[in-house]
Every structure is written in structure tokens, then in C-alpha cells.
Amino acid sequence: MNKKKKRFWLCVLFLLCMTQLAGCGVVSRVKYELTGSEETWELTAVEEGYASSVEEYYYDHLPEELHEAYREIYVHLMRYEDSGDFLSSVSVEDFWRTYYAVLADHPEIFWTDTSAQVEESALLGTVVSYHFDVTVAAEDRDAMREELEAAADACIAQIPEGATDYEKIKFVYEYIIDTTEYDAYSADSQNIQSALLYHSSVCAGYSRAFQYILHRMGLFCTYVTGTIADGGDHGWNLVRITEQEQSEETLAGVPAVAAVEAYYYVDVTWGDPVFAENMDAYDTESTINYNYLCCTEYDLFKTHVPDDSIELPACTSDAYDYYKLNGYYYEAFDWDTINQALLESVWASETRIMMKFGSETAYEEAQAALFEGDLLKEAGQYLMRQNGVTSWNYRYHTDDNFCLITIYWS
């Protein structure tokens, strides 16, 4: 074969290859990569008004080489481009990791399922096209977005002016629990509309709705996934509270003030008494379970195991432990102190008393004194005298994970 014919057939072969590659997005990627810009999708997000207004915890903890793919996925989603060529160069595994990160950071992306289809180039070993599985049609998304914003703002409007960050977090925790029914068969249960619009959801809907409302108030909150004690998949939240504390350093003789940040876990789902009752957990009196509001990893990890999808900070501060804040916490067991607490509960005509102890030893001593000794009996006799009756009933619940005793007066 002469050189001209050989060159001709090589050109034909090249054109055929390019035609095949164009069908799977490779040519589009080549054009994209030839721009020479590593910030293409970051710039696009800003130019098109899609710059993120929230702190993206997962983005910040992804390897830097995945940041461009993260932003590309985010822009496609915000444009409502449910399928198309994928231009960033990532493996299938890294695509899934990045796609999950985008959804974890952005609960306001409510129209997607957690699944998608991707096409991989056999030549390059990278994703060249995608198709997101969606649950809300593109033409319905803007109207639903407005409904969701209004629902979140209706919650926020009820928070007292001047509330601290903790008080805001606590209010949203209670609000979602009070307005949402736990139902494994809820529609769109993985997204925020299940909790905020349909008022029926599972852990993903509870947690994402909580995250969404906190984001609208400018508070940090992210989504955490893992498993629970029985091995089932579960989702909860991580929040951060910043406090101003006096420093040992001084400025012109005046103690300096430093901002101190601490992270806490929140599990809104397990705060729901219906869910807790189903799990044979805490309280059957249809009252909110505060064990999972701003709790430490020491308490949470007795029943929750986070997966390794992202690095998590230490959550060791108990500064916002509900029981400490409300006078229900006892570092050690003291007979007189607990007796006085029981009597004060009766005087106040409370329906229950809660006591959390600072150690397993103190917890066990309290149980022995209350239920095997005379401590609870004496409080009961006082209750009978106060009410002019000759008999009384009570129920109690113990929670070994939290060293918590709850007594219900009858």
C-alpha cells in the first residue's frame, strides 16, 4: 500500500474513532480540558448565580482533585440538567463519592434520588456521561422550591427574637419532631419535602429538613450517615456552636474574648417519641426525647456508627447537654440531693422527674437506692400525704446508654 492510501485509511480510522467517542462524551471532555482552566465550573457557578451560600463540609473534606467534579455535578443539578456529558475526569468510584458529597451538603436539591446512571469510557476509564434519577419533574421544581422556602420560613418565624444558636437548634429539633410522623412508606422520604410539606418521613427526611432550616438561618449543619446498633442504615446531623469566652491573654489589661467552636451531634429522628417507642427506647408519654439534641460522640456512638464517607470532627463537649442545662444532671449520687429533687418534683405537681448521672457507678447507686432501697418509697409516702390518698402508682424507665432515670408520677 502506498503512503497516500495508508494516510487515507488512517484518517478514516481516526474519524471513525472520533465519531464513536463523541457518542460517549469524550470529545466534549477534550474540548473542555483544552480550555486549560482548572476553575471552569467554579467560575461558571459564580457567573450563573449558583455560587453556594452554605458551608460545604463535604466539599471541604474531599481531595482537592475532586473539587472540580463536585462543582460540575452541582451546576448540572442547579441547571436542572438531569442527563448529559460529564466533563471532569473522574473514575466511576470518585463520581459516586462526589455525587454523594453534593447531596450531603445541599438538602435544597430536593428533586433527585440518591441513585444515578453513568457511562464509563473503556478507553479513558473515566465517567463520560450521567443521568440523575429524579423524583420531581423539572417543570414542577420552581413551584415546590417556593413551597419549601415558605415552610422553612414559617418555622423560623416562630423562633423568639434574640435566641441563641443553641435555642434555634433546639426549636427546629422540636418543630420537626412535632410536625412530622415517622413512616417508613412516606413519599419522597429521602428528601426535605417529605418532612416539610407532607409531614411524614424517615431519618433522611428528618435530618435533611433539619439541615435545610438551619442553613436558611446561616447556621452550620451537615448530614451524617452510618448504621445503628441493629445494623440498619441511618442518618443524623452534625452541628457547630460558637461561643465567646474570655481568654487568659489580655489587651491593655482587659481580658481578651476568643471565639470557641465546638461540634455536636443531633439525631432528630430518635428524638421523635413515636420512633423511640418503636425502638423500645425512652419515653412512652409522647414527649420529646432530648438525649439526641447536641450530644457528644461518647453518648451517640453507643448506638450509632458513622460510616467512613467523610472525616468527622471530635464531638466531646457536653456544654449543651439538655439535662445539664435544665438541672437534671448529677455528677455523683447523693441520697439527700436526690431525695430533695424528688420532693421538689412532687411539690411542683410535675408528671415526671428525669435524672442523668455523670458515671455508670453513680447511675447504679441511684437505681439501687431508688428501686431496692427506701428512697423512692419515702417520696411516695409524701406524695400520698400531699394528695390525701392511701395508695399511689408510679412507673419508671432507665436508659443505660445515657445513665438516665425517668420516674413518672401517678
Side-chain angles (χ1 to χ4, degrees), residues 65-107:
E65 60 268 22
L66 297 182
H67 284 180
E68 185 72 350
Y70 176 107
R71 196 60 65 207
E72 178 179 359
I73 292 172
Y74 176 71
V75 170
H76 287 316
L77 286 165
M78 298 306 290
R79 286 175 173 172
Y80 297 166
E81 294 174 345
D82 297 335
S83 61
D85 294 337
F86 194 73
L87 306 182
S88 302
S89 183
V90 293
S91 67
V92 172
E93 180 180 356
D94 281 339
F95 177 91
W96 287 118
R97 180 182 180 185
T98 308
Y99 180 52
Y100 173 83
V102 172
L103 297 183
D105 280 336
H106 293 281

